[in-house]
Amino acid sequence: MSRLAELETSVRLTIGNPQTEGGSVFGPGIAALCDGVRELGSLNAAAKSMGMAYSKAWRIIKDTESALGIQLLIRDGAHGSSLTEEGSELLDVYASIQKELSQESTKLYQKLCE
């Protein structure tokens, strides 16, 4: 068996707004942060679970919202945070595309390594 066949693929998906210059995009890090908010009900708890300062998480969310032109989170002060409808939909679409891309890249890699 070829040593190449022992390796694995990895695909890094990002979603951006073509109408904004550069800036933040929705990628693996922000997806993990949003997933944490969905699971834990708080941006602070999500940030802590990732070993990130709340202030950094807040900045990442604000920058990404600005770059994408959509609100990702509903912030309710001491009561935590939740994803907006658009934020939840974006996270779900991102996760689905990422899963399919990963599966397809694995199949293609195995085929090409035969």
Side-chain angles (χ1 to χ4, degrees):
M1 171 174 21
S2 166
R3 293 189 65 118
L4 291 178
E6 298 171 9
L7 304 177
E8 296 179 351
T9 62
S10 175
V11 178
R12 185 184 192 284
L13 172 67
T14 60
I15 298 173
N17 183 346
Q19 298 176 350
T20 60
E21 291 183 26
S24 297
V25 294
F26 195 92
I30 190 76
L33 193 55
C34 287
D35 193 45
V37 170
R38 178 186 275 170
E39 302 258 334
L40 302 170
S42 154
L43 180 59
N44 190 32
K48 284 182 182 178
S49 75
M50 296 175 68
M52 181 187 304
Y54 174 78
S55 58
K56 181 176 181 179
W58 175 251
R59 183 174 31 82
I60 290 169
I61 291 289
K62 285 177 54 178
D63 290 349
T64 304
E65 287 178 335
S66 178
L68 296 179
I70 64 169
Q71 184 177 348
L72 298 172
L73 298 184
I74 298 168
R75 300 155 192 92
D76 193 14
H79 300 295
S81 299
S82 60
L83 295 177
T84 63
E85 188 175 323
E86 279 185 313
S88 185
E89 184 177 356
L90 180 60
L91 180 59
D92 291 343
V93 167
Y94 179 88
S96 293
I97 293 171
Q98 182 64 51
K99 182 179 178 180
E100 277 195 51
L101 284 174
S102 293
Q103 291 170 347
E104 289 303 313
S105 71
T106 297
K107 287 179 197 175
L108 182 58
Y109 185 77
Q110 289 171 350
K111 177 184 172 186
L112 294 172
C113 286
E114 290 178 346

